[in-house]
Amino acid sequence: MRIEFTPDQLALQKELRAYFEELVTPELQAELDAGGEGGGPEFRKAMRRLGADGWIGLSWPKELGGREMTPMEQYIFTEEVMRTGFPYPFLTTEAIGPVLHEYGSDQMREAVVMPILRGEVVIAIGYSEPGAGTDLASLTTRADRDGDEWVINGQKVWTSLADFSDYIWLAARTDPGSKKHRGLSLLLVPNDAPGLTVSPIWTMGVRTNATYYDNVRVPAENLIGGEGNGWALITGQLNRERLSLVNHGSADTLYRRVAKWAADTESPHGGRVIDQPWVQTNLARVKSGLEALKLICWKQAWAMTEGNLQMADASVAKVYGTEFFLEHYRLLGEIVGQAGGTIQRDSPGEILKGRLEFMYRVGSILTFGGGTNEVQRDIISAAGLGMPRSR
Amino acid sequence: MDFSLSDEQIELQNLARQILGDQTTNEHLRDIEAGDERFDEKLWADLAEAGLLGIAIGEEQGGMALGYESLCLLVEEVGRSVAPAPVIPVLVSAGMAIDRFGTDEQKQRLLPGVVSGETMLSAALIEPLNEDPERPLARAKVEGEGVVLDGIKTCVPFANRAERIVMAAQQDGGVGLFLVDPQAEGVALARQNSTAGEPQFEVRLDAAHVASNDILAGPEEGARVLHWISQRTAAANCMMAAGVVDRMTRMTAEYTAEREQFGVKIATFQAVGQRAANCYIDSECLRLLAQQAVSLLNEDRPADDEVTIAKMWVGDVTHRVSHAAQHLHGGIGVDRDYPLFRYCLWAKQLELAMGSTAQLTARLGEGIAREFSANA
């Protein structure tokens, strides 16, 4: 065993850290601080630069102009992106891009895949519906064939990024008589297609969207991966989503910021904030949880590189990571106190730009987003422990 | 980055599993436990016969010199089988320490017998109301060529069978480490009944004489050697706990997949499956943390925080998984006719050995405060 980065991997980490420090200009930082999940002009500019510098294609095949690096290097990249807080569109670049390349027409590769690599295109995911959340296969949005086109009708919720994305990656039922997993297909819907409406859903944390499809027409070639093959593509992509949801980089950065703040901040009663034993206890508990998170992530990236990722492992990462994040925000929030944990950014008396106030508000989606943790635990007890399935 | 074992390590692991698996059936353990002492002499001899007691001892002494990480694979298997085999005190805390820091004479005198299974050793790492192994209260006074020891050590495993017990004492200029003969004059052993049944002793030192050739480390280097021993003992405890916890979790999955109530296997109740999944997650985290600590120590890399964190997790995880396993088993989980109870008792032993979670959390926190103050 050698549970640490190789010299090459450390060099890549160092290169990326320096790169992102430069990429996140004060203008971009201001745009990111103003909230949201990207989409502003500075975000677009940074994405184009990432494309031009060859970072978007890190894990892509060389024939596409990618660098063909392993999941381990891809993980290091992800970690460094997450440290900056830059809302990198992982699903576009890691999940949808490669699928579009594999199954899309030549024209689509030219029009969509290459622009993804250049950082010009962001794609939103349209899966969940009001009546289809955890039981995603019960979705009812339909796409009917009419000549050379598909005609889409239905409604999606939690279509994050759709307010600025270029396309929506939409799951719809293409076989009207079908039930559940069969008869689903994936379609690429341009955001400017007539009949598509995007309306905001304001959550406790960020904006997401409801999207409505009223006789939206897309060309036949926008159905990707074959009619009725949607479920396999969806589940493959959800596994990747879980990997980018749970990452050590952002949590580690937040821990370091709070610890540094506590060490730099004098207490009016004498000493510094970090001199108090209970502050040290909370930091120690955070660090101990982070260490496990780091190892779960490393092991997963290593197993993917070796091609032997176990089904239960991705679920372990999702459950442990998301539940740890909430505990982590809470423990760090106690250190910055009421002012740090409840006063919002840009208010007088804010601490660390209200980061903990924001993270705690936005964090609760983690345990059910990307596959609810109860379902993950069902997967763990069945696939990891061989227990008979519930129900 | 490499989480895999070498081919050689996999062979060792399989060999250990085979020997331990054959000799830790419920019936056999019950027989051993009905005896005077929870120790299986035949098993120990078989481990020696297979060469496993010499995994981390030098070739000149008859060992295989395969290192600490390989030895910890045996330790994990002992945990997984709750075998009555004192691999940590004999092979890690004392054996490896003598192999690394002992004089040639000490090595030649003590280690070939360890490899052959004839010589037992132990280490006395804690004292009454003083469970920090690195701050002993026992005193050593130089007398002639040797020293004289005064103090009390507690929870010393297999002190009665040990040829020598590694222990530390304060002396002028620092901490010294000594190889104490438990049969020597001035050394009194009092047997303690421990929760997991391991033979343990309170060792009272009353002007106990230690000859010069039994000094393992003098005051100049004693603290460093003691730290080395403490870390490796703690990380080995973590690997043993990983084995214990993994087996408890799987035993629970197997039992609930068979046990029927209300006409169905109880594993099909989501409340049961979800709780077992929590055990699996804990078990995975603990193993990764233990492996990280062990692999760093194996290369003599700094691993203070990694060891501390792994041991903090041992304290929490052994408790959580042990209780969940017993709870999901119901009454049979506490019945001494069914094997789970041994794992739960060992879990408790490992939970509190080499530092409790609360104590280590405080230590880690103090370290964090120093780290960020230095950067400030």
Side-chain angles (χ1 to χ4, degrees), chain A residues 1-2 4-6 264 272 280 284 287-288 291 294-295 298 302 320 374 377-378 380 384 387 390, chain B residues 1-4 69 250 256 268 270 273-274 277-278 280 288 292 299 301 305 313 361 365-366 373 376:
Chain A
M1 290 186 288
R2 189 183 170 82
E4 52 192 346
F5 289 134
T6 63
D264 291 349
R272 299 156 312 154
Q280 296 177 4
K287 181 167 175 156
S288 138
E291 197 67 15
K294 178 191 86 176
L295 291 169
W298 285 4
W302 172 79
Y320 174 75
E374 280 70 23
R377 285 187 167 91
D378 281 350
I380 292 167
M387 290 168 72
S390 306
Chain B
M1 187 74 67
D2 187 3
F3 286 85
S4 63
E69 183 180 299
R250 291 182 187 279
T256 57
T268 61
Q270 287 186 314
Q274 302 267 305
N278 286 345
Y280 184 90
L288 289 169
Q292 171 177 250
E299 310 220 343
R301 305 284 301 276
D305 285 355
W313 273 78
T361 303
E366 288 162 11
S373 305

Side-chain angles (χ1 to χ4, degrees), chain A residues 185-232:
Chain A
S185 303
L186 284 168
L187 297 109
L188 191 67
V189 181
N191 266 59
D192 56 8
L196 168 64
T197 326
V198 179
S199 71
I201 300 176
W202 297 104
T203 70
M204 282 167 71
V206 294
R207 173 192 169 151
T208 179
N209 306 286
T211 47
Y212 301 90
Y213 306 79
D214 179 13
N215 288 311
V216 172
R217 288 177 171 269
V218 298
E221 65 163 17
N222 281 34
L223 186 149
I224 309 294
E227 205 176 321
N229 290 336
W231 189 250

Side-chain angles (χ1 to χ4, degrees), chain B residues 32-87:
Chain B
I32 294 288
E33 286 156 5
D36 291 342
E37 227 168 43
R38 194 176 187 276
F39 177 59
D40 187 343
E41 288 181 7
K42 176 168 183 307
L43 171 64
W44 196 252
D46 288 352
L47 290 170
E49 177 76 19
L52 295 174
L53 300 185
I55 291 176
I57 287 176
E59 287 172 346
E60 313 84 75
Q61 321 309 332
M64 297 197 275
L66 295 176
Y68 176 63
E69 183 180 299
S70 297
L71 175 55
C72 282
L73 297 175
L74 172 66
V75 171
E76 184 185 359
E77 294 310 318
V78 169
R80 189 169 276 120
S81 57
V82 289
V87 286

Side-chain angles (χ1 to χ4, degrees), chain A residues 348-383:
Chain A
E350 63 168 15
I351 292 176
L352 296 174
K353 289 186 176 174
R355 191 72 192 155
L356 282 153
E357 186 281 326
F358 176 75
M359 290 315 284
Y360 186 70
R361 251 187 312 121
V362 77
S364 56
I365 75 160
L366 293 169
T367 57
F368 55 84
T372 193
N373 285 6
E374 280 70 23
V375 171
Q376 304 309 318
R377 285 187 167 91
D378 281 350
I379 293 172
I380 292 167
S381 56

